[in-house]
Amino acid sequence: MRLFHQLIGALCILLWGLQFIVADAAMAHISPILLVALRFIPVAIIAVLFVPRPAVKWRWILLYGTLMGSLEFGFLFAAMRTGLPTGLSSLIMQVSAPFTVILGVLLLRQRPSRQVLIGLVLCLIGLGGASVQRAEATSLLPVLLCILAGLAWAFGNITAAHIRSDRPFALAMWMSIAVPIPMLIAALVVDGPAVTAAGLASFVGPEALTMWLALGFLSLLSSAIATGIWTMLMSTYPASQVAPLATLVPVVGMVTGHVVAGEELTAATIVAGCVMVAGLLLVTMRPRPFPWPSALPWPRAFGRLSRFGRLGRARRTRVSTAPIPVVADTL
């Protein structure tokens, strides 16, 4: 990967990792449901004015937007509002990767490799460890809400795999159209008109600067620019080379949560996070076969270890005396 692409890839991960602490600051003055609605309004305007609509039926665009916008961020922001720390939120959200593998097996009949299955087990172990630590601290409800957010993200991934759009960036922009109106209605119903009006008034009150900066970061930097960078990298390099970068998002989220918000990082949480990141690497990286040489000088005695099967037949195989060829490509 070129140096420029490495730098903008790091910028993308930084923006995605910082969005948790930014959203948490915004939710001090606004409800989670209203924040989700307002976050996607600028993105929807940009999509309608400047991005041609992808050749995808409207029902798939609306379904994709509901999953990746309304449900994912609705559950995530609700989890953070009910007490889940921003760093732990960024970590638990990565449960979408093993959920995607499981849904791919159930719905798309995909067959995961042994490496993916091992990574899946590690992700579940890390998630279980982080959940236990959180349950000992306070309530398990925020963890369950964040897991639901990861599940919605996984269903969104399966939907995108089913759609198979040749313009994924346009799809990611146009799906935002499905979010604002339903979430505004949900805010009026769940939060009430008074709370919704107070949240909108925060954009003209003393905290207006904080709210506008947070909304601009979440809408333009985290959604539009970071998504554009990620889509460009995915279209330029193999997915196995780009996807592992996403495992750094919880690292950025946990570090910024500790530094900015003073969130405690226990040893058990760090260990659980490392186990989960290791599992994510195994899930997202493409497995490579070990470069075995084409001819191996097995000794004749090895064929005498068994009278049956291939080992028994190896006694009749002539042993090659040629040297082991040098393998050019290595792991």
Side-chain angles (χ1 to χ4, degrees), residues 1 3 27 67-68 159 169 175 200 202 209 244 256 268 284 301:
M1 187 180 294
L3 178 60
M27 284 188 291
L67 292 170
M68 299 291 285
T159 303
F169 175 69
M175 70 94 178
L200 294 175
S202 64
L209 179 60
T256 54
T284 55

Side-chain angles (χ1 to χ4, degrees), residues 154-207:
F155 271 107
N157 292 335
I158 296 299
T159 303
H162 176 76
I163 295 173
R164 295 183 180 274
S165 174
D166 56 350
R167 297 172 57 213
F169 175 69
L171 177 62
M173 296 292 289
W174 273 82
M175 70 94 178
S176 60
I177 295 178
V179 181
I181 295 179
M183 295 304 285
L184 284 174
I185 296 175
L188 290 173
V189 173
V190 177
D191 299 329
V195 176
T196 303
L200 294 175
S202 64
F203 286 89
V204 295
E207 61 278 356

Side-chain angles (χ1 to χ4, degrees), residues 96-118 120 151 154-155 157-159 161 283:
S96 62
F99 274 154
T100 302
V101 174
I102 296 174
L103 293 177
V105 173
L106 297 178
L107 302 179
L108 303 180
R109 296 185 178 181
Q110 298 176 347
R111 300 181 62 183
S113 63
R114 183 180 302 177
Q115 171 182 311
V116 171
L117 293 177
I118 296 175
L120 176 62
L151 182 60
F155 271 107
N157 292 335
I158 296 299
T159 303
V283 170

Side-chain angles (χ1 to χ4, degrees), residues 45-170:
I45 294 175
I46 294 175
V48 172
L49 295 180
F50 302 105
V51 181
R53 186 171 74 89
V56 178
K57 294 182 178 180
W58 273 109
R59 67 172 179 266
W60 293 113
I61 293 178
L62 296 179
L63 176 61
Y64 188 59
T66 301
L67 292 170
M68 299 291 285
S70 301
L71 294 181
E72 177 190 342
F73 288 100
F75 283 126
L76 172 63
F77 290 169
M80 296 170 60
R81 184 65 175 267
T82 53
L84 191 65
T86 58
L88 195 56
S89 301
S90 64
L91 175 64
I92 296 179
M93 274 296 294
Q94 306 309 313
V95 76
S96 62
F99 274 154
T100 302
V101 174
I102 296 174
L103 293 177
V105 173
L106 297 178
L107 302 179
L108 303 180
R109 296 185 178 181
Q110 298 176 347
R111 300 181 62 183
S113 63
R114 183 180 302 177
Q115 171 182 311
V116 171
L117 293 177
I118 296 175
L120 176 62
V121 173
L122 290 178
C123 286
L124 295 178
I125 293 175
L127 175 63
S131 301
V132 169
Q133 290 296 316
R134 184 59 190 172
E136 292 178 352
T138 54
S139 173
L140 195 59
L141 177 61
V143 176
L144 296 178
L145 290 174
C146 195
I147 291 176
L148 289 176
L151 182 60
W153 186 0
F155 271 107
N157 292 335
I158 296 299
T159 303
H162 176 76
I163 295 173
R164 295 183 180 274
S165 174
D166 56 350
R167 297 172 57 213
F169 175 69

